[in-house]
Amino acid sequence: MHIPRTGRLALALAAVTVVTVAGCASDSDATVVDETTTTEQTSAGVDLDSLDTGDYNTQPRDFVALGMAAEDFGPAVEGQRLAEFVVHPHTIDPALTVGGSTNGVFLGGTGNIFSGSENEILKEFSIINAFTSFRSTADDSREFGVSVWRFPTPEDAAGATQALYEYKLAPADGPFATGPETPISLPELSDTLATTHSWPELDTVSLSTLTTRGMFVVYTYSGDDSDGTGWITDTATRGVQQQIELLDRFPATPTDEIASLPIDLDKVMARAVGFVDSEYSRNSDMAVYGPDGWLHYDSAPADTEVVFEQTGTDRVAKVNSVVYRTAGPDEAEVLKDAFAAHTAETYPDLVEDPSLTQGLPNTTCWSGDVAEGRAAACLMTYGRYMAELSGFRSIGNENPDADTLRTVPQRVATQYVKFVRAEEMGLGEN
């Protein structure tokens, strides 16, 4: 059974909070830090050897030239490719924009969207990966999410759909168990298995769907606290229809070729900071996305979608920093200004902090106290690229490896050096 919003909130509060400035505001009057440097100044006057880059590798790796394929990481790369073809909840209902921190690629399961034995059932059918995208309304009264699951064969996908459907009709076995779900038919989705459930203690009615499409299974969840069924039925129907249309356009990699996928085809990920051994990362933290794929993680997806179109942003790479490739230097500055405005609006207590920049050009950092601890955010442009970095130290934290705030200056410096050296190597001249 899907974990209702109240249950997932409890899980979220138990997790370590990470501050991200991804997203942008559409309000052009928002406060933006005035920049005194220009893109043309880039590396002028900067002694790269004098920068404190800590233990981070400052030499970009041309994964393509090195002939490096994804191998065991292939299912994650395929999941990242799939992200570009997964429905955004805000396109189903414009009010569904809150959340995104739990969205992403999952291997051998679907992440934490279920509270029972669903993932164990899916493993029996050799699930390869999943991409999940859930959002709720600002008042948390409605939620819609879609999760697309990949299996080795169409037969595996069909078997998983039927097994999971039968499981939903049986008494739930998770911590939120209140009884079996009720099967229903959706007139416009003849190939979809659907069930509803009511949470009286939460005044919530939900609708779940399962649809087999070749090697894939599309799962959707709609929840509404208004105790009505009109919104969840309409949302689920349109969500499944749009997801099937997108999925039919996805150039899926044959199962036996997934290990051969390139790691960094567009040579954007090579510019990102990268991790040292002591730093934690998940499958979504070493990735290259198209603009639609990245919006699943963005804190203001509808606004950022517009700015991505305005700036020609076509690739986003994430490896301990987020690097955005735009149409040109001017567009990179526009993207930076938009993200700076969003930072000022979302985190008004953060103030400009030059001590984090090591004096690098086209770089602005902010730091300050937030509810859960202390945070920092940085933005940098270099040519057609814009980079975003953040750090966080939770209240009472005594574990250096869990303190990403302490490494912000080193990662900022590493980001700059990688930008310079990537240009010297001619990376990305596709």
Side-chain angles (χ1 to χ4, degrees), residues 52-73:
D52 176 13
T53 56
D55 295 328
Y56 293 97
N57 173 38
T58 59
Q59 185 64 31
R61 301 180 70 187
D62 188 339
F63 297 100
V64 177
L66 293 172
M68 296 181 64
E71 298 183 354
D72 291 343
F73 197 64

Side-chain angles (χ1 to χ4, degrees), residues 1-292:
M1 181 172 293
H2 174 79
I3 302 175
R5 288 184 299 280
T6 303
R8 286 173 53 234
L9 177 60
L11 293 175
L13 291 176
V16 175
T17 301
V18 178
V19 172
T20 175
V21 297
C24 57
S26 58
D27 183 359
S28 59
D29 294 328
T31 302
V32 180
V33 176
D34 180 41
E35 296 292 343
T36 58
T37 55
T38 64
T39 303
E40 288 74 15
Q41 290 177 297
T42 53
S43 60
V46 177
D47 180 3
L48 300 185
D49 293 333
S50 69
L51 298 174
D52 176 13
T53 56
D55 295 328
Y56 293 97
N57 173 38
T58 59
Q59 185 64 31
R61 301 180 70 187
D62 188 339
F63 297 100
V64 177
L66 293 172
M68 296 181 64
E71 298 183 354
D72 291 343
F73 197 64
V77 175
E78 181 73 349
Q80 294 156 14
R81 295 181 64 245
L82 175 62
E84 195 77 0
F85 299 86
V86 173
V87 164
H88 289 284
H90 76 268
T91 66
I92 307 299
D93 185 332
L96 295 166
T97 59
V98 178
S101 62
T102 60
N103 295 348
V105 177
F106 300 93
L107 305 185
T110 65
N112 64 353
I113 62 174
F114 294 117
S115 63
S117 301
E118 288 90 343
N119 281 319
E120 295 304 314
I121 293 173
L122 296 177
K123 288 178 182 178
E124 295 177 7
F125 293 90
S126 303
I127 183 173
I128 295 174
N129 59 28
F131 192 91
T132 298
S133 186
F134 274 69
R135 299 278 186 173
S136 62
T137 55
D139 63 2
D140 206 33
S141 64
R142 288 174 170 173
E143 181 185 28
F144 174 73
V146 60
S147 189
V148 182
W149 312 333
R150 167 71 184 272
F151 294 86
T153 67
E155 291 75 20
D156 292 318
T161 296
Q162 187 61 38
L164 205 57
Y165 179 66
E166 293 173 0
Y167 173 78
K168 283 178 166 292
L169 300 181
D173 62 355
F176 296 97
T178 57
E181 299 185 31
T182 303
I184 65 166
S185 297
L186 299 176
E188 298 181 54
L189 300 174
S190 59
D191 296 329
T192 294
L193 300 176
T195 57
T196 62
H197 192 78
S198 176
W199 300 83
E201 67 276 21
L202 301 177
D203 295 324
T204 298
V205 178
S206 68
L207 171 62
S208 298
T209 71
L210 291 162
T211 309
T212 306
R213 196 73 170 182
M215 295 182 291
F216 296 91
V217 174
V218 174
Y219 168 81
T220 72
Y221 173 88
S222 309
D224 190 351
D225 290 352
S226 67
D227 201 28
T229 59
W231 183 84
I232 60 175
T233 301
D234 176 65
T235 300
T237 298
R238 290 187 294 111
V240 172
Q241 289 172 335
Q242 290 189 26
Q243 183 54 71
I244 293 300
E245 181 181 348
L246 283 174
L247 194 55
D248 286 348
R249 291 162 43 195
F250 175 53
T253 304
T255 301
D256 60 357
E257 296 178 13
I258 289 178
S260 301
L261 284 168
I263 297 176
D264 187 17
L265 181 62
D266 292 296
K267 304 182 182 180
V268 179
M269 190 168 67
R271 289 171 161 81
V273 169
F275 292 97
V276 295
D277 291 341
S278 62
E279 292 177 320
Y280 169 80
S281 63
R282 61 174 187 162
N283 293 318
S284 295
D285 289 337
M286 181 177 176
V288 179
Y289 292 96
D292 284 336

